Amino acid sequence: MNTKTLFLWGNNLTDAQLQDWHFVADAIENGTYVVCIDPIFTQMAAKSHKFVAIRPGADMPLVMAMMYVIVEEDLVDWDFMREHSCAPFLVKDSDGLFLRMSDLGVEPAVGDNGAAVDPYVVWDADANAYGELGAVANPAMEGSFEVEGISVTTAYSLLKDEIMKFPPEYASTLCDVPVETINELAHLAVDGPVTHRVGWGPQAYDNGIHPHLAGAALGVLTGQLCKPGANYGPAPWLMFLGGNMAMQASSAPVTSPTISNMYMADVMASNEFNGTPVTPKALWVYSGNPMCTWVDTNTLRDEVFNKFELVVTVDNMMTDTARWSDYVLPLAHWFEYEDAVIYGNTYHVLYSGQAAEPLGESKCDLDIMRMLASKMGLREDLYPASNEEYLRSYFSSPTCEAMGITYDNLVEQRVIRCFPENYRLWENGAFLTASGRAEFYTENPVADGYVGAVPDLDREHLPHWFEPREAWPEGELAEKYPFVLMSERPRFRVHGQWAYNRILREIDPEPTVKMNPADAIARGLEDGIHVECFNEHGHAVAKLVYNEAIRPGTLVYPKSWQSDQHIAGSWSEPLSRQCDPVAVNQSFMDCRVDVRAWEGAE
Amino acid sequence: MTRYGMAIDKKRCVACNTCCVACKIENNLPQDMWWNRVINEGGPNPDSPAGTYPSLTMTTYTLSCQHCANPACVPVCPTGATTKDPETGIVMIDPHICIGCKACIDACPYGVRTLQADEPVYYTAFNIGGDGIQDHVPNTVEKCTFCAHRVVNGEVPFCVEVCPARARVFGDLDDPNSDISKLIASRDYEQLLPEAGTEPSIYLLV
């Protein structure tokens, strides 16, 4: 409401986060200028003051070029950079870590909380000598120095080196945003308060970490963080952590590894995960529909699901995953049992009461686990209390007491606020980093979830550009498969949920794929025919819909139709399970296909 | 006197269809019956803009009975099934008087009346919706009632209550101090087919 300019980065807010749209509409009425950066002209784009059409997978160069303009024109918020960021910290050439007093032989002191206090070292620009952070009034923001024989460079200089690789003229060739627009956006970004809200678009490519490293750096460089109306981040997805944690923690240590979906086929084939033997025999699927919503359906079915001896799915509808399971356990709908919601796009704890008796034999997850534990001979007191007793115990903690959150209060009030009014992330510059400052330089990147050799992490200290794996206009793959296949999270479903709702299916009866009319006409594809989108991984058949909102060279499909609703194939078939070894992300939009009229049986 | 009307803010409507679906639930509408629909202003397909990428425009609103001050449907009804309530300005159809002749469908310039030709087919084995809703009778014409069954109890139509965009405002057009009257006085608006002389009670804020 109080932001001057709102940047929406790949955020189809009016469909995927409709619950927040009325706040944006209020802000617009209050004078906020909205910039929508998206390859697709969404309803949100139509409501924005400025639509910036961008090439898929290329948000990062646009952000970098905006920072280039800001640095070139000296529009940097130097006070914020000095007081609240890692800009003056000295990065050691030798290991990429920040220089601390212990590197210079000063023993760390013991702080009030018992933790070691090892001050960061900065370069005193006035004295031309090193000094402790906090003791130096005017630390150098730029430069390389020798500190007692240790070669160091300020974190800001390292960031600037990366920024200077992206003059707008060059960045424009990557992101396909005109130079004058880049200049305009840079000036909007420094005229605060500015809020940058990111959707799940820019991360849906193999290079998807880096637009966010760049975006967060932009927030720091412009000082547009942790102030009223200024922020960089996604929709506020919050969790109430004040409950009785003993109620959700397992007392037994976890003994099995966590393995990403993208590597599961290899693990099932080799019975090995990073050198450790693993022989998974049974798969228990709950709260998800991977056969529909995860990448590379065909490999997941043939090389993963079919290799398990036993597959059990717990769900309240017959999903693609349930169809490939040996047992389907009917889950009660959330209207049919009592629970509380502590996590979501909300500042509140919500009570979810039972409105109807569970249908047939269906049960809630907790009852299913209780019965399973009993049959498996696990401790009988695994989940001993009733569901109500569980909730009563969960909302019994000092924090709950202080906030007036009890089971009885929740039942009575239905909704209790658990975050402060006007809650802001990192209020007053209290960043949750080791230094307590905004660290645009990641001192010690750690890889997680990779398979094989430890990935090279040098790239991860700072925003770094590399092309998306498939969704790039050059190369052999682009010739063979000319269209980038993008998905949208549409308004008529939440992932696979509501797939068989008959009212919704009257509005939206079958899978569709949207295409720019110029592309379609060039290929002789008429509006409304069935087309097949395909590559070597698989295919999906859907009704073609002409739509000028679609960027030429791309196809856009509303995601998560169940496979029996397609004439043939399904949308997750063409998506590769390859992933960047650091991101270990399902790159849902890093995909290329070709498209042709469907001539198979209907 | 009271004359109920509705303002629909085109700067807020994002074609989410919540109001259309909520209408079906509240009024227990049978299969394929819709009293309220999303209209896309742009290209021919839903959510498609006018123009050439990336220079594009798109707006959207919903279309249902306009509850006209001078309705075209009332005088053509041969049985008196379609009436305008003088107390509220709401145009109603009595399904037990309607003979399904479709004269009103031909007369209405907005295309918001639908014949329920056959025995209604419902989505559930039990009735859903509000108390006092209209019956669904084969071979009769149906349309939006402004949720007269709710309005009579001082509630707003269900589509207004559920709109996630807060795009819909309902109230008395004859009361200059009502929210809707003040909104219309302060905002630019359009009305559909003013040249038809029907004096619609729906205002599209632009």
Side-chain angles (χ1 to χ4, degrees):
Chain A
M1 280 296 286
N2 48 7
T3 197
K4 186 165 185 180
T5 299
L6 171 63
F7 283 82
L8 296 168
W9 296 90
N11 189 191
N12 184 13
L13 183 143
T14 44
D15 268 52
Q17 295 158 354
L18 177 61
Q19 70 278 5
D20 277 349
W21 158 240
H22 70 97
F23 295 119
V24 178
D26 289 347
I28 291 172
E29 284 183 4
N30 205 36
T32 296
Y33 186 82
V34 180
V35 179
C36 180
I37 299 139
D38 206 304
I40 309 166
F41 188 77
T42 58
Q43 289 283 349
M44 187 62 246
K47 289 288 187 280
S48 300
H49 299 91
K50 187 171 188 66
F51 168 53
V52 178
I54 192 166
R55 177 171 287 148
D59 297 79
M60 188 272 185
L62 171 59
V63 182
M64 295 302 274
M66 288 165 65
M67 289 199 281
Y68 182 100
V69 173
I70 289 163
V71 169
E72 278 286 285
E73 298 187 20
D74 197 18
L75 303 172
V76 176
D77 185 338
W78 290 115
D79 288 341
F80 189 89
M81 289 280 276
R82 188 185 310 105
E83 302 302 324
H84 294 296
S85 89
C86 66
F89 290 11
L90 302 172
V91 178
K92 291 180 278 178
D93 289 0
S94 57
D95 59 9
L97 300 178
F98 294 136
L99 185 69
R100 290 173 171 82
M101 290 305 287
S102 61
D103 291 309
L104 308 177
V106 179
E107 280 294 312
V110 178
D112 293 341
N113 59 2
V117 178
D118 187 3
Y120 295 88
V121 181
V122 294
W123 189 260
D124 187 332
D126 297 332
N128 209 25
Y130 76 84
E132 263 185 46
L133 178 72
V136 174
N138 182 26
M141 305 300 281
E142 286 189 60
S144 293
F145 309 97
E146 289 284 316
V147 178
E148 300 200 352
I150 303 171
S151 299
V152 292
T153 302
T154 69
Y156 173 63
S157 280
L158 296 176
L159 174 66
K160 188 178 169 187
D161 288 348
E162 293 298 321
I163 292 171
M164 289 297 127
K165 293 175 183 171
F166 294 88
E169 293 73 16
Y170 168 62
S172 179
T173 66
L174 299 175
C175 63
D176 202 25
V177 174
V179 170
E180 55 270 31
T181 304
I182 297 174
N183 274 300
E184 186 187 343
L185 297 183
H187 287 99
L188 286 169
V190 296
D191 186 14
V194 173
T195 291
H196 297 271
R197 171 154 161 155
V198 294
W200 271 256
Q203 61 82 42
Y205 306 84
D206 266 14
N207 61 5
I209 291 176
H210 288 264
H212 303 95
L213 293 179
L218 173 66
V220 180
L221 197 70
T222 54
Q224 297 301 326
L225 293 174
C226 60
K227 299 171 191 168
N231 190 28
Y232 174 88
W237 228 257
L238 300 165
M239 188 170 195
F240 174 64
L241 294 170
N244 179 358
M245 285 298 150
M247 297 303 295
Q248 67 184 57
S250 167
S251 53
V254 175
T255 54
S256 51
T258 300
I259 304 171
S260 161
N261 163 44
M262 287 80 82
Y263 298 124
M264 263 321 278
D266 307 324
V267 170
M268 296 304 282
S270 66
N271 285 326
E272 185 189 279
F273 176 64
N274 277 348
T276 306
V278 279
T279 50
K281 291 195 185 313
L283 176 65
W284 183 278
V285 183
Y286 73 102
S287 193
N289 182 9
M291 289 292 281
C292 172
T293 55
W294 290 3
V295 295
D296 198 351
T297 309
N298 291 327
T299 300
L300 183 63
R301 181 189 61 232
D302 298 339
E303 308 297 329
V304 181
F305 268 61
N306 286 353
K307 299 269 175 83
F308 279 101
E309 290 175 16
L310 174 70
V311 177
V312 180
T313 290
V314 183
D315 210 316
N316 61 19
M317 65 177 255
M318 198 64 186
T319 63
D320 282 354
T321 309
R323 288 190 184 85
W324 281 97
S325 302
D326 300 301
Y327 290 92
V328 180
L329 302 183
L331 181 70
H333 193 272
W334 63 79
F335 295 159
E336 296 172 331
Y337 63 91
E338 180 182 51
D339 208 343
V341 181
I342 59 164
Y343 169 73
N345 188 190
T346 173
Y347 298 99
H348 302 79
V349 176
L350 317 177
Y351 177 69
S352 180
Q354 182 186 27
E357 287 299 316
L359 197 62
E361 291 183 290
S362 65
K363 293 180 171 34
C364 71
D365 281 302
L366 187 53
D367 283 339
I368 291 171
M369 295 312 284
R370 195 178 273 137
M371 293 170 72
L372 180 73
S374 164
K375 292 288 183 192
M376 288 176 74
L378 296 173
R379 294 198 333 254
E380 284 188 7
D381 62 348
L382 189 62
Y383 299 106
S386 70
N387 296 353
E388 182 188 316
E389 279 305 315
Y390 180 91
L391 289 173
R392 283 188 182 280
S393 303
Y394 187 82
F395 292 109
S396 299
S397 71
T399 308
C400 287
E401 196 177 334
M403 292 181 146
I405 301 174
T406 65
Y407 171 82
D408 291 322
N409 286 348
L410 262 178
V411 171
E412 192 194 324
Q413 297 173 39
R414 308 317 245 201
V415 168
I416 300 179
R417 189 164 176 116
C418 58
F419 282 82
E421 290 295 325
N422 300 317
Y423 173 75
R424 270 200 304 279
L425 280 171
W426 320 306
E427 188 144 24
N428 303 318
F431 293 96
L432 303 174
T433 54
S435 64
R437 288 168 169 243
E439 296 186 9
F440 55 75
Y441 178 92
T442 305
E443 190 184 11
N444 193 19
V446 176
D448 188 29
Y450 59 90
V451 158
V454 181
D456 177 11
L457 296 171
D458 277 355
R459 187 187 82 184
E460 307 305 320
H461 290 297
L462 287 160
H464 179 83
W465 167 247
F466 54 100
E467 293 165 3
R469 173 172 29 83
E470 292 191 18
W472 202 241
E474 291 152 14
E476 230 173 88
L477 200 69
E479 280 176 33
K480 193 170 177 192
Y481 299 115
F483 293 95
V484 176
L485 183 66
M486 302 179 67
S487 53
E488 62 178 17
R489 305 301 181 271
R491 67 195 71 139
F492 298 128
R493 56 189 66 238
V494 182
H495 304 291
Q497 289 177 85
W498 324 121
Y500 302 108
N501 182 295
R502 287 165 58 199
I503 294 178
L504 294 175
R505 295 292 70 78
E506 281 182 30
I507 307 174
D508 184 34
E510 63 173 317
T512 54
V513 60
K514 303 183 204 174
M515 189 173 191
N516 189 286
D519 279 345
I521 290 164
R523 301 186 138 244
L525 300 172
E526 285 174 35
D527 191 24
I529 66 166
H530 285 111
V531 293
E532 179 188 30
C533 304
F534 64 97
N535 63 19
E536 67 225 41
H537 302 296
H539 72 154
V541 174
K543 186 178 142 182
L544 181 67
V545 176
Y546 280 17
N547 194 325
E548 196 65 53
I550 307 308
R551 181 181 176 85
T554 65
L555 298 168
V556 176
Y557 66 92
K559 190 172 159 67
S560 297
W561 288 88
Q562 301 303 295
S563 58
D564 69 324
Q565 297 177 306
H566 283 272
I567 292 171
S570 65
W571 282 124
S572 293
E573 283 192 17
L575 311 179
S576 170
R577 69 187 178 95
Q578 280 187 53
C579 65
D580 180 79
V582 177
V584 193
N585 189 27
Q586 300 194 94
S587 301
F588 288 110
M589 304 204 205
D590 211 341
C591 178
R592 282 193 164 273
V593 293
D594 200 355
V595 58
R596 62 192 167 204
W598 170 249
E599 290 173 358
E602 303 228 341
Chain B
M1 294 293 283
T2 298
R3 184 185 156 217
Y4 284 118
M6 192 185 293
I8 300 167
D9 191 341
K10 283 166 69 169
K11 288 187 169 175
R12 284 179 173 259
C13 179
V14 288
C16 73
N17 280 268
T18 307
C19 56
C20 306
V21 171
C23 168
K24 286 196 68 107
I25 308 258
E26 174 65 18
N27 291 291
N28 195 28
L29 298 190
Q31 193 172 296
D32 296 321
M33 177 62 73
W34 295 80
W35 288 357
N36 186 29
R37 288 176 182 279
V38 167
I39 304 295
N40 183 63
E41 293 182 305
N45 283 322
D47 304 308
S48 67
T52 303
Y53 187 96
S55 300
L56 303 164
T57 58
M58 176 167 62
T59 51
T60 182
Y61 64 91
T62 60
L63 178 65
S64 57
C65 177
Q66 304 289 296
H67 295 281
C68 305
N70 185 27
C73 52
V74 171
V76 301
C77 178
T79 63
T82 285
T83 54
K84 182 174 174 61
D85 178 4
E87 299 296 318
T88 61
I90 297 176
V91 176
M92 296 291 284
I93 305 170
D94 186 333
H96 303 291
I97 301 175
C98 176
I99 56 170
C101 72
K102 300 194 278 188
C104 59
I105 293 179
D106 294 338
C108 173
Y110 302 105
V112 294
R113 293 176 158 245
T114 309
L115 181 73
Q116 175 62 46
D118 303 319
E119 194 65 41
V121 178
Y122 295 97
Y123 304 97
T124 52
F126 47 88
N127 285 329
I128 55 173
D131 284 338
I133 56 172
Q134 193 144 346
D135 292 337
H136 304 289
V137 179
N139 197 39
T140 63
V141 173
E142 300 200 358
K143 64 160 196 73
C144 159
T145 64
F146 255 173
C147 280
H149 63 283
R150 289 171 58 91
V151 172
V152 74
N153 296 323
E155 294 177 296
V156 296
F158 199 48
C159 60
V160 176
E161 181 159 316
V162 300
C163 175
R166 320 287 200 262
R168 303 165 87 83
V169 175
F170 180 81
D172 182 6
L173 296 168
D174 283 349
D175 175 1
N177 293 316
S178 67
D179 287 348
I180 187 170
S181 294
K182 287 191 271 191
L183 200 54
I184 291 167
S186 67
R187 288 276 301 269
D188 291 337
Y189 61 80
E190 299 165 349
Q191 288 195 290
L192 296 174
L193 304 176
E195 65 277 16
T198 49
E199 298 174 50
S201 300
I202 306 284
Y203 291 77
L204 302 177
L205 306 178
V206 295

